[in-house]
Amino acid sequence: MSAREKIITAITAAKPGLTELPAIDMLQVANYNDTIEKFIAVVQTIGGVVEPLKNLQNLQVAIDSEREQGYYIINAVTGSPDENKSIIKQTAIDLEGLYKVYIKASIGVAENGAVWIQELQMINRLLPFICQHLVVVLEKQKLVATMHHAYQQINAFEEGFGVFIAGPSKTADIEQSLVIGAHGARSIKLLLLD
């Protein structure tokens, strides 16, 4: 037996057995009297903005107005199927000048201000990360208290790719220099849809 085979055999023999995940008692998990209020407070704390949205027609008016001003905007919420098909194939170079993206989220989490966005909602995986400004539409009834509650609703095998996004992109180094938008959107606005 070669030295390599001996090492692999020793590692395989020392491998610990599988341990079952603990059962979470959902009655013991944090809950909030007002999930919407908690969500708004946390989002604002981490640098995001939350605004109410009465209906999607108002959203389309805002998008049309921004486009008329010459901004490169992608609307993944109410965009046309033809527009969305062309976005799927775009590369990072094609999307370099992207100013703002509008995306719909499936779940909002009050405890950390995160929103769950699945791949179908993104249209193109690059969109939430390459744009300068991200606007996320979330239905109020899709808010949950904690990540435990959120994971009960997510089916990763069915959805494929998805991501939790909380606040604008931020990074800081040892010199304590905070950089906003280093590896994602510089701002995030959450529109709570009635």
Side-chain angles (χ1 to χ4, degrees), residues 30 33 39 47 59-60:
N33 293 332
F39 180 76
L59 180 67
Q60 189 59 52

Side-chain angles (χ1 to χ4, degrees), residues 14-158:
K15 182 179 174 182
L18 294 176
T19 304
E20 286 192 34
L21 294 174
I24 304 294
D25 181 1
M26 294 304 285
L27 297 174
Q28 300 298 316
V29 174
N31 256 314
Y32 306 102
N33 293 332
D34 189 338
T35 308
I36 295 172
E37 183 181 302
K38 175 69 175 177
F39 180 76
I40 291 170
V42 172
V43 168
Q44 291 172 340
T45 300
I46 61 176
V49 174
V50 181
E51 293 179 1
L53 179 64
K54 294 292 179 198
N55 56 55
L56 293 178
Q57 288 78 18
N58 294 352
L59 180 67
Q60 189 59 52
V61 169
I63 293 168
D64 292 342
S65 171
E66 289 175 330
R67 283 182 173 160
E68 287 172 11
Q69 295 173 40
Y71 292 113
Y72 180 18
I73 310 288
I74 290 181
N75 176 6
V77 178
T78 60
S80 71
D82 291 335
E83 179 185 1
N84 293 348
K85 282 181 187 175
S86 70
I87 294 167
I88 291 171
K89 296 176 182 173
Q90 291 186 349
T91 65
I93 293 169
D94 300 328
L95 297 168
E96 181 184 1
L98 185 57
Y99 181 71
K100 191 178 281 187
V101 171
Y102 290 81
I103 291 180
K104 192 168 188 180
S106 302
I107 302 170
V109 184
E111 76 174 339
N112 60 7
V115 290
W116 173 254
I117 304 171
Q118 38 185 316
E119 186 169 21
L120 288 175
Q121 293 166 313
M122 291 179 214
I123 301 172
N124 182 323
R125 290 184 185 188
L126 294 170
L127 293 185
F129 310 105
I130 201 165
C131 64
Q132 294 295 313
H133 306 282
L134 180 62
V135 180
V136 179
V137 175
L138 176 67
E139 296 172 23
K140 283 183 182 177
Q141 66 267 25
K142 302 286 178 104
L143 280 170
V144 296
T146 68
M147 292 295 284
H148 293 294
H149 295 99
Y151 277 114
Q152 285 184 327
Q153 297 181 29
I154 294 171
N155 183 348
F157 296 107
E158 183 179 287

